[in-house]
Amino acid sequence: MIKEGQFTFVAGRGEVVPYRGKYAAKRADVFEVIERRFAAAGLRGVKYRPLRLELEITTKCNDTCRSCGMGALPLAQGITMTPQQRARLVDEFDAVGLPSAAVTGGEPFVALHSLLPLITALRGRGIDISKLTTNGVWGKPGRMERTFAKLEQAGLFGNTLFVPLIMLSVGEQTTPLEWVAAILHHAVTHYSDRELNLALSSLDDPGRREHTRLYELLRVYEKAYGDFPHDRVHSTMRVYLNNDRLPEQHKAQRPGHTSVKRWMDRCFDCFAPTVGTYILPSGLIKQDGRVYACASFDVPESLGFGNIFTDGLRTIVERANSDDYLRLIADGGGLKGLHGAVPADFTEQTSCGGFCASCTLLSGKYRQVNGLPDAAPLPVISEQTLMARLRTAETAGR
């Protein structure tokens, strides 16, 4: 498989080569085009402007992974965004000049009735779908070909800035690997790398650090179709993240012996416009509308800035840009920008198991030393209240 990070392009740091990288740009002037979009939306010169928002379209999932970092719920319990919510999202995205969105869940393909209209609506406003994350439940014989045809009809392959990516997640999922292999085979035999990119997200328990399902998938593919298409499939090696939506889930244990300071010094610039390995800056929108200025599903609550259905995306972007903690990270080129703002003895003597964990610790310590209250979780607004507010907004807009 293509090693993650092999091709990365950052705005202002050299030439962009089209069709290179997991999140490949389709044009060499992609950053100039994006800048014009933001300028037209009145966001010229703003530090935090997401190039992509990760959208949790549903919390429903056909599977029950014990370490689900997305906090997915069973089909009978999960909730999918309504048509009114989707319409509001598209308007909000368009209003700030958002270049692209990624769709996740839950499992978005169990909500195909919502996914397809969303793709069509976004493409109608010139907003690319840069990634679809899935466990491959739609790879069942007979269904897979029809689903690809529906994605094509919905406009997935009409992107103008980025090659769309289908991210297939394997790990604890019970989706048959034969279905995942079928999706991969159909994709590489029907679409070129200028039309569609593919990636495998090999998630596993951090205690083992073994990606056994990945190698099992390779064997399944080669038995059915011959040589695995290593030159078309990008790797994404990840571990599961905890999610407070599922208090009873198996918690990922990351004791970690690396100091927070070392994580800070190794942190990449997550607010520099980037394509290739990632599309950055990014953000996360939960199914109920909560917005975070980071796309990690283990995101600290201190990076939550409002609800898109009640506050509006422009207001949320303004709040994020006025946040001192976020500004230090953005101006400092990553978590290293917090040196001096958080006591050195804390960063040197405290250890953890990853970048996200260090950010959580740093944000808590930063608030403590500056006399700020602990970050409170964004309020979860009931679906009934959200729908009432959306109806009010629709009436006011007429």
Side-chain angles (χ1 to χ4, degrees), residues 167-292:
M167 174 83 77
L168 289 153
S169 176
V170 297
E172 292 181 347
Q173 291 89 338
T174 61
T175 299
L177 292 179
E178 288 78 8
W179 297 4
V180 177
I183 292 172
L184 290 171
H185 182 67
H186 184 93
V188 300
T189 54
H190 288 77
Y191 304 99
S192 73
D193 59 1
R194 293 186 167 225
E195 297 171 296
L196 180 66
N197 270 339
L198 301 159
L200 288 173
S201 179
S202 178
L203 303 178
D204 215 328
D205 190 299
R208 291 185 292 154
R209 296 284 181 176
E210 296 176 358
H211 300 273
T212 53
R213 290 272 289 175
L214 175 61
Y215 297 108
E216 187 179 345
L217 172 62
L218 298 183
R219 289 192 292 270
V220 168
Y221 186 99
E222 292 180 348
K223 181 178 179 180
Y225 306 110
D227 291 342
F228 187 84
H230 289 279
D231 60 336
R232 286 292 309 276
V233 183
H234 296 259
S235 65
T236 303
M237 302 303 182
R238 291 288 184 266
V239 295
Y240 281 103
L241 301 174
N242 294 325
N243 193 297
D244 58 11
R245 186 186 286 148
L246 299 175
E248 76 284 358
Q249 76 171 346
H250 171 75
K251 295 297 183 183
Q253 299 301 320
R254 294 183 192 81
H257 302 294
T258 301
S259 70
V260 169
K261 180 182 184 299
R262 190 175 180 193
W263 287 118
M264 293 168 69
D265 292 338
R266 294 170 59 189
C267 180
F268 55 85
D269 188 350
C270 56
F271 292 113
T274 304
V275 298
T277 308
Y278 308 97
I279 295 179
L280 295 172
S282 62
L284 172 67
I285 302 181
K286 294 282 193 176
Q287 174 275 325
D288 56 17
R290 288 174 291 156
V291 182
Y292 297 84

Side-chain angles (χ1 to χ4, degrees), residues 84-375:
Q84 295 92 335
Q85 289 172 322
R86 296 197 308 267
R88 175 67 177 272
L89 282 173
V90 173
D91 286 342
E92 293 290 336
F93 289 177
D94 191 25
V96 300
L98 184 73
S100 67
V103 184
T104 185
E107 168 52 51
F109 283 83
V110 302
L112 200 62
H113 63 287
S114 291
L115 174 62
L116 296 174
L118 177 66
I119 293 173
T120 299
L122 289 172
R123 288 299 315 127
R125 303 288 184 94
I127 301 169
D128 283 2
I129 301 293
S130 60
K131 179 178 69 171
L132 296 176
T133 300
T134 175
N135 62 24
V137 64
W138 51 286
K140 184 177 181 179
R143 180 183 176 188
M144 183 265 295
E145 294 84 357
R146 293 196 305 270
T147 302
F148 264 113
K150 290 176 180 178
L151 290 172
E152 194 164 335
Q153 185 177 10
L156 178 65
F157 301 101
N159 281 4
T160 58
L161 297 178
F162 305 108
V163 177
L165 172 79
I166 292 180
M167 174 83 77
L168 289 153
S169 176
V170 297
E172 292 181 347
Q173 291 89 338
T174 61
T175 299
L177 292 179
E178 288 78 8
W179 297 4
V180 177
I183 292 172
L184 290 171
H185 182 67
H186 184 93
V188 300
T189 54
H190 288 77
Y191 304 99
S192 73
D193 59 1
R194 293 186 167 225
E195 297 171 296
L196 180 66
N197 270 339
L198 301 159
L200 288 173
S201 179
S202 178
L203 303 178
D204 215 328
D205 190 299
R208 291 185 292 154
R209 296 284 181 176
E210 296 176 358
H211 300 273
T212 53
R213 290 272 289 175
L214 175 61
Y215 297 108
E216 187 179 345
L217 172 62
L218 298 183
R219 289 192 292 270
V220 168
Y221 186 99
E222 292 180 348
K223 181 178 179 180
Y225 306 110
D227 291 342
F228 187 84
H230 289 279
D231 60 336
R232 286 292 309 276
V233 183
H234 296 259
S235 65
T236 303
M237 302 303 182
R238 291 288 184 266
V239 295
Y240 281 103
L241 301 174
N242 294 325
N243 193 297
D244 58 11
R245 186 186 286 148
L246 299 175
E248 76 284 358
Q249 76 171 346
H250 171 75
K251 295 297 183 183
Q253 299 301 320
R254 294 183 192 81
H257 302 294
T258 301
S259 70
V260 169
K261 180 182 184 299
R262 190 175 180 193
W263 287 118
M264 293 168 69
D265 292 338
R266 294 170 59 189
C267 180
F268 55 85
D269 188 350
C270 56
F271 292 113
T274 304
V275 298
T277 308
Y278 308 97
I279 295 179
L280 295 172
S282 62
L284 172 67
I285 302 181
K286 294 282 193 176
Q287 174 275 325
D288 56 17
R290 288 174 291 156
V291 182
Y292 297 84
C294 175
S296 168
F297 279 80
D298 214 12
V299 61
E301 286 294 340
S302 59
L303 297 185
F305 293 101
N307 189 301
I308 194 170
F309 299 129
T310 59
D311 302 312
L313 189 53
R314 185 176 296 274
T315 297
I316 291 170
V317 170
E318 290 172 353
R319 287 176 184 167
N321 279 281
S322 64
D323 183 77
D324 290 339
Y325 177 79
L326 209 65
R327 189 182 300 116
L328 287 169
I329 297 173
D331 290 342
L335 292 175
K336 62 181 74 71
L338 294 168
H339 283 305
V342 177
D345 58 350
F346 173 81
T347 64
E348 292 169 359
Q349 297 172 20
T350 306
S351 61
C352 61
F355 293 107
C356 296
S358 68
C359 185
T360 300
L361 291 168
L362 286 164
S363 63
K365 192 65 176 180
Y366 177 83
R367 299 179 78 88
Q368 181 186 19
V369 299
N370 285 280
L372 301 173
D374 292 340

Side-chain angles (χ1 to χ4, degrees), residues 74-86:
L75 294 175
Q77 298 176 21
I79 301 173
T80 299
M81 284 188 174
T82 66
Q84 295 92 335
Q85 289 172 322
R86 296 197 308 267

